[in-house]
Amino acid sequence: SDGSTDDTRQKAKALKDKRVIFKDDGKRLGKSARLDYILRMFTGDVLFLIDADVTITDHRIIARTIRNGKLSKSGMVGVNAQPLPATTFVEKTLETSVALMKDIAKSWNNGKNYLSFKGCFLALDGKFAKSLHMPAHIVNNDAFLYFAALQSGFSPAYLNETKVYYHSPKTLAD
């Protein structure tokens, strides 16, 4: 948790799953600093980076992403992240920009580009994840990871048929 003030702690603890490790020092350092911390702690074969505002409707998404993403070759797998229906002006504005970005991503190199990868749900090959260092000042984490995968000789995989849903910020303060 990056200094969350909502009920993130209670929701994470309610999972009662030993595979879920919840860390919270009460400080707000930013997503890049937290991702770097996760990368340094990580010891497994596959690292899933899933934002708290993601809604998963397919209970087999983890297995399907690993199987279809061929992580040892791709290094990184992204899925089709869709915003949940907008209710506020800010959400509607962001939804419009997301739709435009998705159109650009599809038409650029048949969707095989960094715009197709949304940081709210990504899977990383374990060896690739362990080799990474995320600089704290990076703003576009998903693009950084995409280009790091390419630089490391991987070919990131995008699974258009695999969908997750996320909440867009409702206000400018969000």
Side-chain angles (χ1 to χ4, degrees), residues 51-160:
D51 286 357
D53 61 0
V54 168
T55 299
I56 297 172
T57 57
D58 177 1
H59 69 280
R60 295 169 297 182
I61 193 167
I62 301 293
R64 186 175 289 138
T65 301
I66 292 169
R67 184 180 62 247
N68 296 342
K70 298 177 177 69
L71 279 162
S72 62
K73 287 181 75 175
S74 66
M76 170 182 176
V77 179
V79 301
N80 190 350
Q82 300 283 321
L84 289 165
T87 57
T88 69
F89 175 75
V90 171
E91 284 177 301
K92 290 175 185 175
T93 303
L94 290 171
E95 195 173 277
T96 301
S97 68
V98 167
L100 176 61
M101 184 187 69
K102 282 187 173 282
D103 285 346
I104 292 169
K106 283 182 202 172
S107 63
W108 177 18
N109 197 23
N110 294 322
K112 200 161 173 49
N113 61 74
Y114 80 96
L115 293 176
S116 294
F117 293 78
K118 183 131 176 78
C120 67
F121 188 99
L122 295 171
L124 304 179
D125 172 73
K127 290 179 187 147
F128 173 54
K130 291 171 198 164
S131 75
L132 290 169
H133 164 63
M134 176 74 66
H137 69 278
I138 295 294
V139 176
N140 195 341
N141 314 108
D142 35 7
F144 176 86
L145 293 170
Y146 177 84
F147 289 116
L150 289 178
Q151 190 172 31
S152 297
F154 292 105
S155 182
Y158 175 70
L159 305 177
N160 187 54

